Amino acid sequence: MGQSGVAIGELSRRTGCNIETIRYYERIGLLPIPARRGRYRLFGEEDIRRLRFVRRARELGFTLNEVGALLELGAGACIEVHGIAAAHLADVRSRIADLQAMERVLDGAVQQCQSGEQATCPLIETLSGTAATT
């Protein structure tokens, strides 16, 4: 494609992002609609950086709305970015607490299953909500 841009396949390869995901991000406005050469869309270096940012933010659990807000704010809006990051951190901590509680319940159920001393499966009872909680 030359120096004027890369095709979507190359963009996918460089960013590790699926082609259909790239198209979706275009449709919802996370990626700008690229220039075209004939029937091929051409993406530039800024598109590659932006898509890498989106992908990394998604890996860290930011919602698409949060990613869009971060992109709109840009690097010069540290106070606003801080607010979004702080809210996301609170959500992550809440999910960690939920996962730790789930770990304790599952650990207890697995230990009870392993002993084989009960007539019914404690794991199934726990997941069904019929087991006594400790």
Side-chain angles (χ1 to χ4, degrees), residues 53-73:
F53 174 87
V54 171
R55 185 166 187 262
R56 184 66 180 134
R58 295 291 291 143
E59 287 172 351
L60 293 173
F62 284 92
T63 66
L64 290 175
N65 288 336
E66 290 169 331
V67 173
L70 291 170
L71 286 169
E72 284 182 27
L73 290 170

mmCIF file of all heavy atoms in Angstrom, residues 53-73:
data_model
loop_
_atom_site.group_PDB
_atom_site.id
_atom_site.type_symbol
_atom_site.label_atom_id
_atom_site.label_comp_id
_atom_site.label_asym_id
_atom_site.label_seq_id
_atom_site.Cartn_x
_atom_site.Cartn_y
_atom_site.Cartn_z
ATOM 1 N N PHE A 53 -4.154 1.714 21.613
ATOM 2 C CA PHE A 53 -4.686 2.280 22.847
ATOM 3 C C PHE A 53 -6.031 1.632 23.193
ATOM 4 O O PHE A 53 -6.253 1.206 24.333
ATOM 5 C CB PHE A 53 -4.852 3.806 22.710
ATOM 6 C CG PHE A 53 -5.537 4.437 23.881
ATOM 7 C CD1 PHE A 53 -4.809 4.834 24.990
ATOM 8 C CD2 PHE A 53 -6.917 4.622 23.892
ATOM 9 C CE1 PHE A 53 -5.436 5.398 26.088
ATOM 10 C CE2 PHE A 53 -7.554 5.185 24.978
ATOM 11 C CZ PHE A 53 -6.814 5.574 26.083
ATOM 12 N N VAL A 54 -6.923 1.558 22.211
ATOM 13 C CA VAL A 54 -8.248 0.972 22.442
ATOM 14 C C VAL A 54 -8.114 -0.469 22.893
ATOM 15 O O VAL A 54 -8.737 -0.896 23.879
ATOM 16 C CB VAL A 54 -9.123 1.066 21.161
ATOM 17 C CG1 VAL A 54 -10.414 0.274 21.323
ATOM 18 C CG2 VAL A 54 -9.423 2.519 20.819
ATOM 19 N N ARG A 55 -7.279 -1.221 22.207
ATOM 20 C CA ARG A 55 -7.106 -2.639 22.548
ATOM 21 C C ARG A 55 -6.557 -2.807 23.963
ATOM 22 O O ARG A 55 -7.044 -3.627 24.733
ATOM 23 C CB ARG A 55 -6.175 -3.303 21.538
ATOM 24 C CG ARG A 55 -6.053 -4.795 21.754
ATOM 25 C CD ARG A 55 -5.410 -5.466 20.554
ATOM 26 N NE ARG A 55 -5.459 -6.889 20.702
ATOM 27 C CZ ARG A 55 -4.434 -7.629 21.159
ATOM 28 N NH1 ARG A 55 -3.300 -7.052 21.467
ATOM 29 N NH2 ARG A 55 -4.563 -8.926 21.281
ATOM 30 N N ARG A 56 -5.575 -2.023 24.316
ATOM 31 C CA ARG A 56 -4.976 -2.132 25.655
ATOM 32 C C ARG A 56 -5.974 -1.713 26.728
ATOM 33 O O ARG A 56 -6.084 -2.364 27.769
ATOM 34 C CB ARG A 56 -3.702 -1.286 25.736
ATOM 35 C CG ARG A 56 -2.983 -1.412 27.041
ATOM 36 C CD ARG A 56 -2.432 -2.821 27.226
ATOM 37 N NE ARG A 56 -1.757 -2.890 28.502
ATOM 38 C CZ ARG A 56 -1.909 -3.863 29.381
ATOM 39 N NH1 ARG A 56 -2.679 -4.892 29.105
ATOM 40 N NH2 ARG A 56 -1.273 -3.844 30.516
ATOM 41 N N ALA A 57 -6.711 -0.638 26.480
ATOM 42 C CA ALA A 57 -7.720 -0.196 27.444
ATOM 43 C C ALA A 57 -8.790 -1.273 27.633
ATOM 44 O O ALA A 57 -9.220 -1.540 28.761
ATOM 45 C CB ALA A 57 -8.344 1.117 26.986
ATOM 46 N N ARG A 58 -9.198 -1.921 26.553
ATOM 47 C CA ARG A 58 -10.183 -3.007 26.653
ATOM 48 C C ARG A 58 -9.606 -4.191 27.431
ATOM 49 O O ARG A 58 -10.315 -4.800 28.225
ATOM 50 C CB ARG A 58 -10.634 -3.444 25.250
ATOM 51 C CG ARG A 58 -11.392 -2.390 24.489
ATOM 52 C CD ARG A 58 -12.757 -2.105 25.076
ATOM 53 N NE ARG A 58 -13.603 -3.257 24.854
ATOM 54 C CZ ARG A 58 -14.502 -3.693 25.733
ATOM 55 N NH1 ARG A 58 -14.692 -3.070 26.864
ATOM 56 N NH2 ARG A 58 -15.232 -4.762 25.466
ATOM 57 N N GLU A 59 -8.324 -4.512 27.209
ATOM 58 C CA GLU A 59 -7.680 -5.585 27.965
ATOM 59 C C GLU A 59 -7.695 -5.291 29.456
ATOM 60 O O GLU A 59 -7.757 -6.204 30.274
ATOM 61 C CB GLU A 59 -6.232 -5.784 27.498
ATOM 62 C CG GLU A 59 -6.105 -6.447 26.153
ATOM 63 C CD GLU A 59 -4.663 -6.450 25.642
ATOM 64 O OE1 GLU A 59 -3.785 -5.783 26.248
ATOM 65 O OE2 GLU A 59 -4.419 -7.096 24.610
ATOM 66 N N LEU A 60 -7.620 -4.011 29.816
ATOM 67 C CA LEU A 60 -7.629 -3.607 31.221
ATOM 68 C C LEU A 60 -9.045 -3.470 31.776
ATOM 69 O O LEU A 60 -9.222 -3.069 32.920
ATOM 70 C CB LEU A 60 -6.854 -2.298 31.401
ATOM 71 C CG LEU A 60 -5.356 -2.415 31.144
ATOM 72 C CD1 LEU A 60 -4.698 -1.035 31.173
ATOM 73 C CD2 LEU A 60 -4.707 -3.342 32.175
ATOM 74 N N GLY A 61 -10.034 -3.785 30.949
ATOM 75 C CA GLY A 61 -11.406 -3.827 31.424
ATOM 76 C C GLY A 61 -12.210 -2.555 31.266
ATOM 77 O O GLY A 61 -13.340 -2.479 31.738
ATOM 78 N N PHE A 62 -11.661 -1.543 30.600
ATOM 79 C CA PHE A 62 -12.433 -0.330 30.369
ATOM 80 C C PHE A 62 -13.561 -0.649 29.393
ATOM 81 O O PHE A 62 -13.371 -1.392 28.434
ATOM 82 C CB PHE A 62 -11.558 0.789 29.793
ATOM 83 C CG PHE A 62 -10.667 1.444 30.803
ATOM 84 C CD1 PHE A 62 -9.376 0.979 31.016
ATOM 85 C CD2 PHE A 62 -11.114 2.521 31.561
ATOM 86 C CE1 PHE A 62 -8.546 1.571 31.951
ATOM 87 C CE2 PHE A 62 -10.290 3.122 32.502
ATOM 88 C CZ PHE A 62 -9.005 2.641 32.704
ATOM 89 N N THR A 63 -14.735 -0.081 29.638
ATOM 90 C CA THR A 63 -15.858 -0.259 28.724
ATOM 91 C C THR A 63 -15.611 0.548 27.460
ATOM 92 O O THR A 63 -14.765 1.449 27.439
ATOM 93 C CB THR A 63 -17.172 0.219 29.366
ATOM 94 O OG1 THR A 63 -17.109 1.641 29.555
ATOM 95 C CG2 THR A 63 -17.438 -0.495 30.689
ATOM 96 N N LEU A 64 -16.374 0.245 26.429
ATOM 97 C CA LEU A 64 -16.239 1.008 25.188
ATOM 98 C C LEU A 64 -16.585 2.476 25.420
ATOM 99 O O LEU A 64 -15.942 3.360 24.846
ATOM 100 C CB LEU A 64 -17.129 0.414 24.096
ATOM 101 C CG LEU A 64 -16.685 -0.947 23.566
ATOM 102 C CD1 LEU A 64 -17.717 -1.492 22.580
ATOM 103 C CD2 LEU A 64 -15.313 -0.866 22.908
ATOM 104 N N ASN A 65 -17.572 2.755 26.267
ATOM 105 C CA ASN A 65 -17.910 4.147 26.578
ATOM 106 C C ASN A 65 -16.758 4.846 27.284
ATOM 107 O O ASN A 65 -16.454 6.007 26.995
ATOM 108 C CB ASN A 65 -19.174 4.226 27.432
ATOM 109 C CG ASN A 65 -20.420 3.903 26.645
ATOM 110 O OD1 ASN A 65 -20.457 4.034 25.425
ATOM 111 N ND2 ASN A 65 -21.460 3.472 27.327
ATOM 112 N N GLU A 66 -16.112 4.142 28.237
ATOM 113 C CA GLU A 66 -14.966 4.731 28.928
ATOM 114 C C GLU A 66 -13.813 4.970 27.968
ATOM 115 O O GLU A 66 -13.156 6.019 28.020
ATOM 116 C CB GLU A 66 -14.517 3.825 30.077
ATOM 117 C CG GLU A 66 -15.483 3.768 31.236
ATOM 118 C CD GLU A 66 -15.159 2.679 32.238
ATOM 119 O OE1 GLU A 66 -14.579 1.637 31.864
ATOM 120 O OE2 GLU A 66 -15.503 2.867 33.418
ATOM 121 N N VAL A 67 -13.571 4.027 27.068
ATOM 122 C CA VAL A 67 -12.500 4.181 26.083
ATOM 123 C C VAL A 67 -12.787 5.394 25.204
ATOM 124 O O VAL A 67 -11.905 6.223 24.956
ATOM 125 C CB VAL A 67 -12.332 2.909 25.223
ATOM 126 C CG1 VAL A 67 -11.343 3.146 24.085
ATOM 127 C CG2 VAL A 67 -11.873 1.735 26.083
ATOM 128 N N GLY A 68 -14.027 5.517 24.762
ATOM 129 C CA GLY A 68 -14.403 6.668 23.946
ATOM 130 C C GLY A 68 -14.187 7.979 24.684
ATOM 131 O O GLY A 68 -13.674 8.946 24.117
ATOM 132 N N ALA A 69 -14.557 8.007 25.973
ATOM 133 C CA ALA A 69 -14.366 9.219 26.773
ATOM 134 C C ALA A 69 -12.888 9.536 26.918
ATOM 135 O O ALA A 69 -12.483 10.701 26.810
ATOM 136 C CB ALA A 69 -15.022 9.056 28.142
ATOM 137 N N LEU A 70 -12.072 8.518 27.162
ATOM 138 C CA LEU A 70 -10.627 8.738 27.295
ATOM 139 C C LEU A 70 -10.037 9.279 25.993
ATOM 140 O O LEU A 70 -9.204 10.181 26.013
ATOM 141 C CB LEU A 70 -9.929 7.441 27.706
ATOM 142 C CG LEU A 70 -10.212 6.951 29.123
ATOM 143 C CD1 LEU A 70 -9.662 5.541 29.323
ATOM 144 C CD2 LEU A 70 -9.643 7.905 30.159
ATOM 145 N N LEU A 71 -10.483 8.728 24.869
ATOM 146 C CA LEU A 71 -9.984 9.205 23.577
ATOM 147 C C LEU A 71 -10.395 10.648 23.327
ATOM 148 O O LEU A 71 -9.609 11.439 22.803
ATOM 149 C CB LEU A 71 -10.495 8.306 22.449
ATOM 150 C CG LEU A 71 -9.835 6.938 22.341
ATOM 151 C CD1 LEU A 71 -10.611 6.052 21.380
ATOM 152 C CD2 LEU A 71 -8.382 7.055 21.924
ATOM 153 N N GLU A 72 -11.614 10.996 23.702
ATOM 154 C CA GLU A 72 -12.073 12.373 23.517
ATOM 155 C C GLU A 72 -11.296 13.349 24.386
ATOM 156 O O GLU A 72 -10.993 14.462 23.977
ATOM 157 C CB GLU A 72 -13.565 12.488 23.834
ATOM 158 C CG GLU A 72 -14.455 11.948 22.749
ATOM 159 C CD GLU A 72 -15.924 12.112 23.071
ATOM 160 O OE1 GLU A 72 -16.283 13.045 23.827
ATOM 161 O OE2 GLU A 72 -16.716 11.300 22.567
ATOM 162 N N LEU A 73 -10.982 12.919 25.615
ATOM 163 C CA LEU A 73 -10.273 13.803 26.539
ATOM 164 C C LEU A 73 -8.834 14.034 26.108
ATOM 165 O O LEU A 73 -8.321 15.138 26.189
ATOM 166 C CB LEU A 73 -10.311 13.233 27.954
ATOM 167 C CG LEU A 73 -11.681 13.254 28.625
ATOM 168 C CD1 LEU A 73 -11.646 12.443 29.908
ATOM 169 C CD2 LEU A 73 -12.120 14.681 28.896
#
